[in-house]
């Protein structure tokens, strides 16, 4: 999602024509996540996806028309075998897709503000008018966690209704269409969260960590690698990493940018280095904490940590031994089992420590074994 938003800013900066298509509502089976966007440029190239197959081809063609007409459009698709295309997608649902031309003005201010939010790992609520008074469709209002508002839905009174009357819990996967009467016209506003990319912090720079980083990068995680050895924590060894940190394991956790969308994974070269990481990590607001190791060694570590004053309820929140039980053996297989668990946790809700509980609260506004190589 961040890639699409960033590309919108680049397109606007270059003064190019483009159109943005967004899934705003759906029912039944879809070929991908409901939180999907596709930016189509004038030359036909695109960033993102709304599902592939014939559906995507139809949306791509509509986007080309929208950018030439410079007028947005809300489309309804009933997904059938026709939309499976050559990929054989298993579809059987209904989907609404809002396609809007990308143009300078208030829209540009909103997307630039979204980029700034992403850069500082902030949270916000983006409202888009998808149907209502003619000529106002496509208006956007961004509400940040500090209460700042950028943009407009085209009517100050409507902006106020969304800003003051909304009581929506902000979560990573928030998508909602709000229908209301405004000046005698049925008005629909699409609400979506602006949320930082999931951040994976790998403690340890060994074989398993290298394999995890490769997979995590492909599925959209921001990656930080931590090791106390410069030969193991460097960009040559971890080209996928956004940051590499060389520091002692017993001092580093408090120096890291850990937030409610951070995933902490201890895969150091031994439990004597894992223990100080876990001892510090359990006190953070990380969404997920996991550690590699055998059940026997984990039980011994928990006993040691309890003796040092770490409450048992905090240790019980640690995923250990980490990874799905798939009989993994090699570092690459272990990495698959670990990333599968992280993806399941993320997509199932996982009850992470959210960065922001509600818009209204913020501003009164709307397993692996002990023999595994590390």
């Amino acid at each position: 999602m961040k890639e699409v938003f960033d590309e919108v800013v680049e397109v606007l900066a270059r003064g190019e024509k483009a159109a943005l298509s967004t899934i705003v509502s759906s029912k039944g089976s879809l070929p991908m996540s409901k939180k999907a966007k596709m930016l189509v440029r004038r030359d036909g190239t695109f960033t993102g996806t709304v599902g592939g197959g014939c559906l995507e081809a139809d949306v791509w063609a509509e986007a080309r028309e929208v950018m030439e007409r410079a007028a947005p459009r809300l489309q309804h698709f009933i997904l059938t075998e026709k939309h499976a295309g050559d990929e054989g997608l298993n579809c059987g649902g209904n989907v609404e897709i809002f396609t809007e031309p990308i143009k300078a003005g208030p829209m540009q201010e909103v997307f630039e503000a979204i980029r700034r939010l992403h850069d500082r790992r902030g949270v916000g609520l983006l409202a888009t008018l998808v149907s209502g008074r003619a000529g106002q469709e496509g208006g956007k209002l961004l509400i940040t966690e500090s209460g700042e508002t950028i943009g407009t839905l085209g009517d100050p009174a409507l902006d106020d209704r969304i800003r003051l009357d909304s009581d929506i819990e902000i979560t990573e996967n928030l998508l909602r269409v709000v229908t209301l009467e405004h000046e005698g016209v049925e008005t629909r506003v699409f609400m979506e969260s602006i949320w930082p990319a999931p951040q994976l912090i790998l403690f340890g720079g060994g074989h398993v960590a290298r394999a995890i980083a490769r997979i995590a990068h492909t599925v959209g995680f921001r990656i930080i690698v931590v090791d106390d050895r410069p030969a193991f924590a460097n960009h040559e060894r971890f080209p996928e990493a956004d940051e590499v940190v060389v520091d002692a394991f017993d001092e580093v956790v408090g120096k890291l940018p850990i937030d409610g969308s951070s995933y902490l994974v201890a895969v150091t070269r031994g439990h004597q280095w894992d223990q100080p990481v876990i001892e510090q990590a359990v006190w953070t607001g990380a969404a997920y904490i996991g550690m590699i190791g055998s059940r026997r060694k984990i039980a011994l570590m928990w006993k040691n940590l309890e003796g040092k004053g770490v409450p048992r309820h905090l240790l019980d929140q640690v995923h250990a031994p980490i990874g799905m039980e798939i009989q993994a053996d090699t570092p690459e297989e272990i990495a698959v089992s670990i990333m599968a668990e992280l993806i399941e946790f993320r997509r199932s809700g996982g009850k992470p420590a959210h960065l922001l509980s509600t818009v209204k609260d913020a501003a009164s506004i709307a397993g692996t074994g002990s023999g595994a190589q590390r």
Side-chain angles (χ1 to χ4, degrees):
M1 192 67 66
K2 180 180 182 297
E3 180 184 13
V4 174
F5 283 131
D6 285 348
E7 185 57 27
V8 169
V9 175
E10 295 301 321
V11 165
L12 285 164
R14 294 192 297 264
E16 298 175 2
K17 282 190 175 182
L20 179 65
S21 296
T22 302
I23 294 179
V24 297
S25 70
S26 61
K27 293 181 180 179
S29 174
L30 292 182
M32 66 166 300
S33 167
K34 295 177 181 179
K35 195 166 190 177
K37 293 180 183 291
M38 181 172 71
L39 177 71
V40 180
R41 306 173 192 84
R42 190 172 190 178
D43 64 3
T45 59
F46 60 92
T47 299
T49 177
V50 290
C54 290
L55 170 63
E56 190 150 286
D58 290 346
V59 175
W60 178 89
E62 176 64 16
R64 300 296 299 275
E65 292 184 17
V66 163
M67 74 176 76
E68 294 304 326
R69 294 198 313 262
R73 185 179 177 190
L74 183 65
Q75 285 181 292
H76 179 238
F77 294 89
I78 299 176
L79 303 184
T80 64
E81 290 183 3
K82 164 185 176 291
H83 293 102
D86 295 335
E87 292 84 355
L89 299 173
N90 184 19
C91 308
N94 299 337
V95 61
E96 277 188 310
I97 296 180
F98 182 67
T99 301
E100 56 189 316
I102 298 301
K103 49 191 177 183
M107 174 185 283
Q108 184 168 2
E109 295 176 11
V110 169
F111 282 111
E112 288 174 349
I114 290 172
R115 171 181 270 187
R116 292 193 296 272
L117 268 185
H118 281 149
D119 288 345
R120 63 180 176 80
R121 297 186 62 76
V123 170
L125 179 68
L126 176 62
T128 300
L129 184 66
V130 296
S131 69
R133 192 172 298 281
Q136 294 181 347
E137 297 92 345
K140 294 184 182 297
L141 179 69
L142 175 67
I143 306 170
T144 72
E145 74 269 40
S146 66
E148 179 186 9
T149 60
I150 301 96
T152 178
L153 296 175
D155 183 332
L158 183 57
D159 292 346
D160 287 342
R161 288 190 65 175
I162 296 299
R163 183 171 54 86
L164 298 174
D165 296 344
S166 296
D167 188 8
I168 299 176
E169 181 181 6
I170 303 298
T171 62
E172 180 178 1
N173 297 313
L174 170 67
L175 298 172
R176 183 179 301 181
V177 175
V178 176
T179 302
L180 46 86
E181 288 288 329
H182 181 65
E183 295 185 349
V185 178
E186 183 178 271
T187 301
R188 299 177 70 208
V189 180
F190 175 59
M191 316 282 273
E192 58 185 309
S193 60
I194 302 301
W195 196 263
Q199 176 172 261
L200 174 61
I201 304 179
L202 290 168
F203 296 91
H207 299 298
V208 171
R210 287 184 71 188
I212 292 172
R214 287 194 290 269
I215 300 174
H217 176 72
T218 64
V219 296
F221 279 74
R222 182 179 190 275
I223 301 166
I224 299 176
V225 177
V226 180
D227 204 296
D228 56 357
R229 303 163 294 176
F232 285 79
N234 57 72
H235 283 291
E236 289 72 27
R237 184 171 174 81
F238 288 92
E240 306 87 357
D242 296 273
E243 294 182 46
V244 290
V245 177
V246 180
D247 205 338
F249 290 119
D250 59 356
E251 299 175 355
V252 71
V253 173
K255 304 175 185 178
L256 298 172
I258 297 171
D259 57 34
S261 60
S262 295
Y263 294 66
L264 279 51
V265 173
V267 283
T268 73
R269 58 192 182 276
H271 279 315
Q272 63 266 48
W273 290 277
D274 290 332
Q275 180 168 314
V277 170
I278 297 301
E279 184 177 357
Q280 301 165 80
V282 294
W283 300 101
T284 70
Y288 176 102
I289 304 169
M291 185 183 75
I292 199 170
S294 69
R295 296 186 185 279
R296 182 182 65 84
K297 290 185 177 180
I298 289 166
L300 289 173
M301 185 189 296
W302 272 208
K303 184 177 180 180
N304 290 339
L305 290 173
E306 285 185 277
K308 297 181 72 174
V310 179
R312 182 69 191 202
H313 74 273
L314 294 181
L315 296 173
D316 287 341
Q317 296 175 20
V318 178
H319 297 253
I322 193 175
M324 289 190 165
E325 189 54 65
I326 60 172
Q327 304 302 314
D329 181 43
T330 67
E332 292 75 18
E333 291 174 349
I334 293 168
V336 169
S337 77
I338 290 173
M339 284 308 305
E341 180 171 299
L342 266 62
I343 291 168
E344 180 190 48
F345 181 91
R346 179 188 179 199
R347 295 307 183 188
S348 65
K351 299 193 182 304
H354 293 308
L355 299 176
L356 182 65
S357 57
T358 64
V359 176
K360 190 173 285 292
D361 288 342
S364 298
I365 56 177
T368 54
S370 60
Q373 290 180 294
R374 294 176 180 234

